[in-house]
C-alpha cells in the first residue's frame, strides 16, 4: 500500500514521531493505531450556538464506529460553527472564515481523509470550500432536517411561515399569543430548517454532487437511519483513502452542471448560486453565473416549501434525492461519486412512494423552475430571481422605484403610514452586498410596507444587492452586481426612477438616460468602511462580488503540496 500522508506525522521513529504519537497517546490510544492505517479527520461544526447542528455529536460517534470497523483511526476536531439564526451581523460574513479554518486544520494535521459534519446554511459550503483547497478524500454527513413544524394541527415550515406570520401580525391578522404559540411548534427537534431552505438545498446538492451516501439530504436529524448512514460513511471514507479518491476526482464541471439542474428541480435556494460558484472556484473549475441558465428550463419536481407545500420529512418518506436524480436522468451528465461509481449507478432502483411530494419529470409540479439570471443596465454583471417562489404576474413588471439607501432606512421607514408607495412600486434596497453590509445578509425579501400589507398586498417587486433566505418567497431580485458599495448602477438609483423587470427574457433595466447617470456618478461616494480591524476588515478588503461566489480573492484555488514552510 502507498505510504499515507499521516505517516509524515505518526510514522517516523525519531524525535518528531515520538512527539506526534506520544501526545496522541495521552488520550489512551495504543501503539498499534499508528501502524500506518488511514487517519480520518471528522470535522465537526457541532455547537450549542448552532442548534441546527445539535445532532452532530451523535453522528460523529457513529462515523467513528464505521472508521474503526474499516480499519481506520478516527480523530474528531472542531471548527467555527455558524448558526444562521444566531450569529450577527450575518452568518455569510463568516462563511469564508469557516472555509479558512477547515482548510488549515485539514492541511496542518496528520490526516488522510476527512468527513465533514455540517448542516446549518453556511456550514456545508464553508466546509466544502476549505476541504476543496486541500483536496484529500472527502465525504459529507449532513445534520439532517428537523421534524415537521406544527401549529394548530397544521404543518408549518421553518423560515417560510415566520415571514407569513410576521406579516399577519403587522397587518393585524394574527395575535401575539398565536404568534408565540407558532414559535414553540416551529422547531421541534435537532436538525436544520425542514423546508427546502439553504441547508436542505445544500445537503440535496451534496447528494447530486456525489459527495455523500445516497439519502443523506432528507433523512430527519433524529431518524436512526441517519446514524446508520453516518456509520456507513465512516467505512466509506476509509475505502476512499485506500483508493486515493480525492475530492477533485469526484467533483468535475459535470458535477456542478448536475447540481445546477438539480437545484431547479428541487426548488432550491438562491444561495446555492453563490456557494456553488465559490466551491468551484476552489477547485479551479470554470463556472460562471451564466451557467445557472442550465437550470432555467428544468421543471420543478419537489413539492416542498417555499416553492411547494410539503416539508423535508415528507420528502424523505417519498424517497428523497435518489428519486429526484433518477427522474432527472436525461438531464444529468456522467459524474463520479464517493462510491467510485457514476451518479446514475448511485441512484439506481430508487422508487417514489408519494407522487404528491416528488413529481415525475413528464408530469412536473411547475414548468421551468430554475433560477433566472438577469442582466441589464441595473445589473451589468448579473442578478438573480427565483421564479418558482415569485408571483407569476410580477415577473414582467415596470414600475417606479422607492429607494432605501441602507438597511437602517428600511427599518425606520417601512411602517410609515405615509410611505408614498403602491402595489406597483419597485422597492429598492442598497448597501447590502458583500462589501456594503458587509457580508451580504438575507434581507432581500424586504417586508411589504405596512400600509400595503394592511390592504392585503402580499408581494411586490423588490430589488437589492442582498441575498434572501432559502426559506423565503416573493418576486425578489437578488445579488445585483456590482453591488452599490462597489459603485454599481444600483448606487445611482433614485426614488421615482423607472425600473423594468422581464424575468422570462433575463432583463433588469434602469430606465434612466446615460447623461443623468453620469451626473449622479460624479456626485456619488461609497459609505465609510464600518470595520477597521480583524477578520471583517480582511473580508471587506478582499471579498469578491456575488457573481464570483463572494469568496475572497486570495482563497481561490488550492494547494495540495506536502506541508512545508513554503506551502504554508
Ligand atoms: Fe440553521 Fe435554517 S437556521 S438551517
Amino acid at each position: 500500500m502507498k505510504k499515507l500522508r499521516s505517516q509524515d506525522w505518526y510514522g517516523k521513529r525519531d524525535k518528531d514521531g515520538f512527539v506526534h504519537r506520544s501526545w496522541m497517546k495521552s488520550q489512551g490510544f495504543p501503539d498499534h493505531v499508528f501502524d500506518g492505517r488511514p487517519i480520518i479527520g471528522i470535522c465537526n461544526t457541532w455547537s450549542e450556538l448552532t442548534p441546527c447542528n445539535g445532532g452532530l455529536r451523535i453522528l460523529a460517534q457513529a462515523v467513528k464506529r464505521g472508521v474503526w470497523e474499516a480499519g481506520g483511526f478516527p480523530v474528531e476536531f472542531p471548527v467555527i460553527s455558524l448558526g444562521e439564526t444566531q450569529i450577527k451581523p450575518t452568518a455569510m460574513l463568516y462563511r469564508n472564515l469557516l472555509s479558512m479554518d477547515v482548510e488549515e486544520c485539514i492541511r496542518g494535521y496528520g490526516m488522510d481523509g476527512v468527513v465533514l459534519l455540517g448542516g446549518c446554511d453556511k456550514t456545508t459550503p464553508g466546509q466544502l470550500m476549505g476541504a476543496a483547497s486541500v483536496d484529500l478524500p472527502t465525504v459529507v454527513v449532513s445534520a439532517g432536517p428537523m421534524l415537521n413544524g406544527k401549529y394548530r394541527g397544521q404543518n408549518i415550515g421553518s423560515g417560510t411561515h415566520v415571514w407569513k406570520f410576521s406579516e399577519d401580525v403587522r397587518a393585524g391578522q394574527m395575535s401575539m399569543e398565536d404568534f408565540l404559540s407558532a414559535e414553540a411548534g416551529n422547531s421541534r427537534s435537532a436538525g436544520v430548517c425542514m423546508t427546502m431552505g439553504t441547508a436542505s438545498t445544500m445537503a440535496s446538492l451534496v447528494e447530486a454532487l456525489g459527495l455523500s451516501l445516497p439519502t443523506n439530504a432528507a433523512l430527519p436529524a433524529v431518524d436512526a437511519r441517519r446514524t446508520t448512514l453516518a456509520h456507513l460513511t465512516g467505512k466509506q471514507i476509509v475505502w476512499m483513502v485506500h483508493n486515493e479518491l480525492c475530492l477533485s476526482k469526484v467533483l468535475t464541471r459535470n458535477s456542478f452542471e448536475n447540481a445546477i439542474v438539480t437545484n431547479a428541480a428541487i426548488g432550491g435556494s438562491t444561495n446555492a448560486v453563490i456557494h456553488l460558484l465559490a466551491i468551484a472556484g476552489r477547485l479551479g473549475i470554470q463556472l460562471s453565473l451564466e451557467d445557472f441558465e442550465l437550470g432555467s428550463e428544468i421543471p420543478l419536481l419537489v413539492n416542498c416549501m417555499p416553492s411547494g407545500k410539503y416539508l423535508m420529512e415528507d420528502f424523505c418518506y417519498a424517497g428523497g434525492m435518489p428519486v429526484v436524480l433518477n427522474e432527472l436522468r436525461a438531464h444529468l451528465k456522467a459524474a463520479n461519486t464517493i462510491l467510485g461509481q457514476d451518479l446514475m449507478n448511485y441512484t439506481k432502483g430508487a422508487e417514489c412512494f408519494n407522487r404528491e411530494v416528488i413529481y415525475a419529470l413528464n408530469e412536473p409540479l411547475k414548468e421551468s423552475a430554475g433560477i433566472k439570471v438577469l442582466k441589464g443596465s441595473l445589473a451589468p454583471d448579473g442578478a438573480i430571481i427565483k421564479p418558482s417562489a415569485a408571483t407569476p404576474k410580477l415577473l414582467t413588471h415596470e414600475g417606479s422605484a422607492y429607494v432605501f439607501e441602507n438597511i437602517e432606512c428600511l427599518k425606520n421607514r417601512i411602517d410609515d403610514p405615509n410611505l408614498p408607495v403602491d402595489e406597483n412600486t419597485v422597492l429598492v434596497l442598497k448597501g447590502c452586498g458583500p462589501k456594503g453590509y458587509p457580508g451580504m445578509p438575507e434581507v432581500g425579501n424586504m417586508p411589504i410596507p405596512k400600509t400595503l400589507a394592511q390592504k392585503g398586498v402580499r408581494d411586490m417587486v423588490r430589488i437589492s444587492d442582498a441575498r434572501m433566505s432559502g426559506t423565503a418567497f416573493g418576486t425578489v431580485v437578488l445579488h445585483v452586481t456590482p453591488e452599490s458599495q462597489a459603485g454599481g448602477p444600483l448606487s445611482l438609483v433614485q426614488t421615482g426612477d423607472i425600473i423594468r423587470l422581464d424575468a422570462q427574457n433575463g432583463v433588469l433595466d434602469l430606465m434612466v438616460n446615460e447623461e443623468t447617470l453620469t451626473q449622479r456618478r460624479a456626485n456619488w461616494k461609497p459609505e465609510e468602511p464600518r470595520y477597521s480591524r480583524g477578520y471583517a476588515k480582511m473580508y471587506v478588503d478582499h471579498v469578491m462580488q456575488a457573481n464570483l461566489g463572494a469568496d475572497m480573492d486570495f482563497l481561490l484555488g488550492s494547494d495540495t503540496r506536502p506541508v512545508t514552510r513554503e506551502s504554508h
Side-chain angles (χ1 to χ4, degrees), residues 50-53 82-86 119-123 144 146 158-159 191-195 197-200 442 469 471:
T50 308
C52 312
N53 294 3
L82 307 177
E84 189 69 28
T85 52
Q86 313 296 319
C120 193
D121 296 13
K122 306 304 175 293
T123 55
M146 294 175 198
S158 36
V192 300
C193 293
M194 81 315 258
T195 48
T198 304
S200 286
E442 294 183 333
S469 164
T471 59

Side-chain angles (χ1 to χ4, degrees), residues 32 55 160 238 268 285 344 401 452 530 563:
H32 69 264
T160 300
V238 174
I285 293 172
M344 285 302 99
L452 297 176
R530 285 161 193 269
V563 185

